[in-house]
Amino acid sequence: MSPARDGEWTRVPDPCPSPVQSILQELYEKYQPDFSGSVATYIPELAKANPADFAIVLATTDGHVYEVGQSQREFTIQSVSKPFVFSLALQEHGRDEVLRKVGVEPTGEAFNAIVFDETGNRPFNPMVNAGAIAISALISGDSFESRLQRISETFADFAGRPLEIDETVFQSERATGHRNRAIAYLELNSGMIQEPVDEHLDLYFRQCSILVTARDLAMMAATLANYGVNPLSGRRAVDPEHVQSILSVMASCGMYDYAGEWNYRIGLPAKSGVAGGIIAVLPGQFGIGLYSPLLDAKGNSVRGVRVCDELSSRFALHMFAHHPQPRTVIRRVYTGSNVVSKRRRRAAERDVLDQLGHRITVFELDGDLFFASMEQVLRRLTAELDPQGFAILDGRRVGHADQGPLGLLIAMHERLAERQQQLLLAAFPAAIIRALGQRLPAGWVEEHVFADLDRALEACEDALLATAAPELSAHEVSVPLAEMDIVAGFEGEYVALLAGYLEEATYAPGAAIIHENDPADRLFMLAEGSAAVIMQLGDGRSKRLANIGPGVSFGELALVDGGDRVADVIAESAVRCWVLRTERFAELAERHPRLHARLLKNIGRNLSDRLRRTTREVRTLEE
């Protein structure tokens, strides 16, 4: 950006601007010449606004901002403040208590109408002046200053920066706000609010006098679109369950007595203010902030309404225009017979898992989870899961999940548990896991949630082995040399002969057995414990390529082609190995060629088996 002559900041055009930026520029140029309407005059300071001022800003939920016009021009927020003070009241008192004090029904009247819900003895909704004054009265604090500080901090969280109050506008509102004062005292008379009334009114006048820009409004709207988290700062401004309440009231009451037609034509939760600001929210996607002080007869920005109308119709933004379809949420389904964990197991374990792998079913998901998509997943899970099986939901490609599907997921977990079946989650976004953890018994996440699919598969395999072959399942098992896969079929004399060429080595948990780039000069046979093959990816990141259990050999290529190691091998627990060095292997070839040949054959057989399994997995995952 670069400074213009009048002190405003103007955007230097990009060599190839985004289509979104170009569309906003097109709308700006289309509606800038429209001088319909008039600036607000009932607050004297607002009458000083420049009718030519006009800004359009769109902020996405990942923090990108598109802006045109006077997007940095400050003006007072006025009634656009109401959703954000409403959010603070919800945070402090909860939805039911706030609803007891202020309703949520549209009035069909002007924003400053002196009308009340006499049946409920409360203002009709928080978006008209009567309701907003009652909401301000709910903001707690030891003093006026502490109450105002709470409001200021809330606004800063939504905007992503501290906001100031225009004292001149505040004094102007305070001096001329007789109608609002009358509303407040009628509320006091009816028991809708309590003393001190003048303090409540000053709080309300000050919140309306907060200075913002169109960019601030867009970021505040984007925070609501992002379920209460500011897209730039990452700071939570309001809990997600309250965002639903805020957007609902904005949708039905946010545009004064134009709210019904706004919903009919545009269909975005929105709020306007008499200084010319408008916010509009497309949940989960973006927020819009607009500024143009020329108002229509209902108190809404003329240019702002027209821009939103055109954006909504051109790009089908109406919240009831469509709903996501669940056709592709299940990307792939396969069983543990075709895709196994990366744990290298001895042949006896593999034989059991080859027979029982069909009891593990993986449902690979892709996309956001909402009620219909989760219903589809659970319906298919119910139909395809083995009666004694494990269901793994692979969520690495899942984005957002609403509360509805989380409730269905919890219900499915409970139903499967009753039938002695298990539901595991792998690689789901942290936000979804946190939400589930708040609604399920303590310890559920630790037992049923895994960082990646490989660990979930390994847990299912371990559980199958524990049931079907407990003698094989214990990770603490000690495998004698004669039962190692690498000596399968060897007569006792050959095992004893080989033992003479081996060394024994032990490693503490966390110790490196093999370092990447070390010379490949030894074959290892793991007798006790567990080890992981780790590839370092740089920037402190690493990836587990395999897990090795007792009875399995590793580092075999040292005996075939030498070279350097391509990954680390780290002891996950206390490890005991037999080690065959390459020079001893060469001696074995010279002195006992038949033993040497049989050892090479077994090594080749093990590598071939590993290759066949990998090929089968690739075919399964590519079909």
Side-chain angles (χ1 to χ4, degrees):
M1 303 178 90
S2 60
R5 293 180 182 176
D6 62 357
E8 285 292 319
W9 286 87
T10 57
R11 181 174 292 279
V12 176
D14 296 327
C16 182
S18 157
V20 176
Q21 184 70 33
S22 298
I23 289 163
L24 297 189
Q25 184 67 38
E26 174 192 334
L27 293 174
Y28 177 83
E29 293 171 0
K30 178 177 180 178
Y31 292 109
Q32 172 61 36
D34 185 350
F35 281 82
S36 304
S38 57
V39 299
T41 58
Y42 74 95
I43 300 172
E45 282 298 313
L46 298 188
K48 300 177 182 179
N50 184 352
D53 283 349
F54 181 30
I56 310 169
V57 184
L58 186 151
T60 65
T61 53
D62 62 355
H64 193 82
V65 177
Y66 303 92
E67 53 192 315
V68 295
Q70 288 75 45
S71 61
Q72 304 296 321
R73 180 86 74 202
E74 289 191 324
F75 56 95
T76 52
I77 193 169
Q78 297 299 325
S79 286
V80 183
S81 66
K82 293 170 181 174
F84 306 106
V85 183
F86 180 45
S87 79
L88 178 56
L90 290 169
Q91 286 284 108
E92 288 190 354
H93 302 286
R95 185 171 67 170
D96 292 340
E97 178 61 18
V98 172
L99 185 61
R100 194 172 69 82
K101 296 288 188 179
V102 181
V104 290
E105 299 299 333
T107 66
E109 303 285 347
F111 65 92
N112 58 356
I114 305 179
V115 293
F116 302 99
D117 173 9
E118 296 183 7
T119 302
N121 194 39
R122 59 188 179 176
F124 273 98
N125 67 72
M127 300 297 127
V128 293
N129 290 7
I133 292 169
I135 289 294
S136 295
L138 288 173
I139 304 306
S140 61
D142 297 333
S143 63
F144 173 80
E145 289 73 19
S146 65
R147 297 172 69 197
L148 180 60
Q149 180 66 23
R150 289 183 60 77
I151 290 176
S152 299
E153 289 171 354
T154 296
F155 278 51
D157 288 343
F158 274 100
R161 72 178 185 98
L163 301 176
E164 298 180 351
I165 293 174
D166 188 320
E167 288 293 332
T168 304
V169 172
F170 163 66
Q171 294 295 340
S172 183
E173 292 212 36
R174 189 189 210 188
T176 60
H178 308 307
R179 191 177 185 92
N180 286 326
R181 195 164 282 108
I183 290 171
Y185 276 97
L186 282 172
E187 291 178 332
L188 176 67
N189 182 68
S190 300
M192 297 178 189
I193 65 173
Q194 307 299 319
E195 290 280 14
V197 175
D198 288 340
E199 183 174 302
H200 301 330
L201 281 166
D202 273 5
L203 200 64
Y204 173 67
F205 291 145
R206 283 189 179 276
Q207 80 183 44
C208 291
S209 303
I210 289 175
L211 286 167
V212 292
T213 66
R215 184 187 176 101
D216 291 329
L217 292 187
M219 191 55 61
M220 296 170 86
T223 300
L224 289 172
N226 199 35
Y227 308 101
V229 175
N230 185 289
L232 287 180
S233 71
R235 185 176 178 86
R236 178 164 293 285
V238 61
D239 290 338
E241 61 265 28
H242 297 319
V243 173
Q244 173 181 309
S245 300
I246 297 163
L247 295 181
S248 296
V249 179
M250 286 172 60
S252 60
C253 310
M255 298 300 288
Y256 304 131
D257 47 331
Y258 182 65
E261 188 168 345
W262 172 279
N263 252 340
Y264 183 78
R265 292 182 178 279
I266 299 169
L268 296 174
K271 186 71 192 82
S272 62
V274 294
I278 292 179
I279 60 170
V281 177
L282 185 57
Q285 298 189 43
F286 59 76
I288 299 174
L290 301 116
Y291 172 56
S292 175
L294 291 169
L295 309 181
D296 60 24
K298 298 182 185 296
N300 298 314
S301 170
V302 175
R303 293 180 181 126
V305 169
R306 290 177 179 172
V307 167
C308 288
D309 195 352
E310 185 159 343
L311 279 172
S312 180
S313 60
R314 281 176 66 175
F315 300 104
L317 302 182
H318 196 295
M319 58 184 172
F320 298 133
H322 62 85
H323 290 284
Q325 297 297 312
R327 291 189 301 270
T328 60
V329 68
I330 298 180
R331 177 186 176 95
R332 185 182 292 114
V333 178
Y334 52 86
T335 72
S337 296
N338 295 320
V339 177
V340 300
S341 75
K342 293 183 175 65
R343 183 173 179 85
R344 295 184 190 170
R345 303 179 184 272
R346 51 183 169 148
E349 293 177 274
R350 294 199 304 269
D351 290 342
V352 173
L353 293 175
D354 285 344
Q355 296 175 30
L356 301 179
H358 64 277
R359 294 184 182 175
I360 305 170
T361 306
V362 178
F363 297 83
E364 189 178 311
L365 309 183
D366 188 355
D368 291 341
L369 298 180
F370 46 97
F371 186 92
S373 62
M374 181 56 77
E375 183 277 333
Q376 180 198 67
V377 171
L378 300 184
R379 176 161 27 100
R380 191 155 174 197
L381 186 156
T382 302
E384 299 186 22
L385 184 61
D386 185 272
Q388 298 176 288
F390 301 80
I392 301 176
L393 299 185
D394 180 355
R396 78 187 99 167
R397 294 181 177 87
V398 168
H400 172 71
D402 297 332
Q403 290 298 312
L406 295 185
L408 286 176
L409 196 59
I410 291 169
M412 175 55 73
H413 155 66
E414 292 171 349
R415 178 181 174 185
L416 292 177
E418 291 171 358
R419 301 167 59 182
Q420 305 302 309
Q421 297 170 308
Q422 290 195 42
L423 176 64
L424 287 72
L425 307 183
F428 270 75
I432 295 177
I433 300 307
R434 282 196 301 269
L436 282 171
Q438 293 170 0
R439 300 174 61 178
L440 284 161
W444 188 91
V445 169
E446 290 75 10
E447 294 178 8
H448 295 83
V449 174
F450 295 85
D452 54 48
L453 176 61
D454 179 53
R455 286 175 170 83
L457 283 168
E458 183 179 338
C460 292
E461 292 169 353
D462 287 345
L464 286 175
L465 287 168
T467 301
E471 72 281 2
L472 300 175
S473 66
H475 283 220
E476 296 77 16
V477 69
S478 178
V479 177
L481 179 61
E483 294 180 17
M484 289 277 173
D485 282 356
I486 199 169
V487 297
F490 279 26
E491 295 82 3
E493 59 183 285
Y494 274 178
V495 173
L497 192 59
L498 177 62
Y501 287 82
L502 303 179
E503 305 169 10
E504 187 170 321
T506 59
Y507 301 88
I513 302 172
I514 289 176
H515 286 287
E516 184 178 353
N517 297 321
D518 278 354
D521 58 0
R522 287 170 290 174
L523 164 71
F524 296 83
M525 306 172 196
L526 199 150
E528 294 178 9
S530 175
V533 182
I534 306 291
M535 175 179 287
Q536 302 301 328
L537 301 176
D539 300 325
R541 297 178 302 120
S542 61
K543 182 177 178 61
R544 187 178 82 155
L545 301 180
N547 177 264
I548 303 166
V552 177
S553 59
F554 58 95
E556 299 96 333
L557 293 181
L559 306 185
V560 179
D561 66 354
D564 294 334
R565 303 293 190 184
V566 296
D568 298 331
V569 179
I570 307 296
E572 292 186 321
S573 61
V575 165
R576 183 170 65 87
C577 292
W578 285 292
V579 181
L580 176 59
R581 296 183 179 274
T582 50
E583 60 269 24
R584 296 290 282 163
F585 186 63
E587 292 177 22
L588 187 68
E590 182 178 342
R591 298 178 182 178
H592 307 283
R594 293 186 62 186
L595 174 56
H596 176 269
R598 292 184 65 175
L599 197 59
L600 278 180
K601 182 178 180 180
N602 278 1
I603 291 172
R605 186 193 66 239
N606 290 344
L607 292 174
S608 177
D609 180 70
R610 205 179 303 166
L611 179 60
R612 280 197 301 270
R613 290 175 182 275
T614 300
T615 302
R616 184 174 62 195
E617 290 183 14
V618 170
R619 181 176 292 110
T620 298
L621 297 177
E622 291 299 323
E623 286 179 349

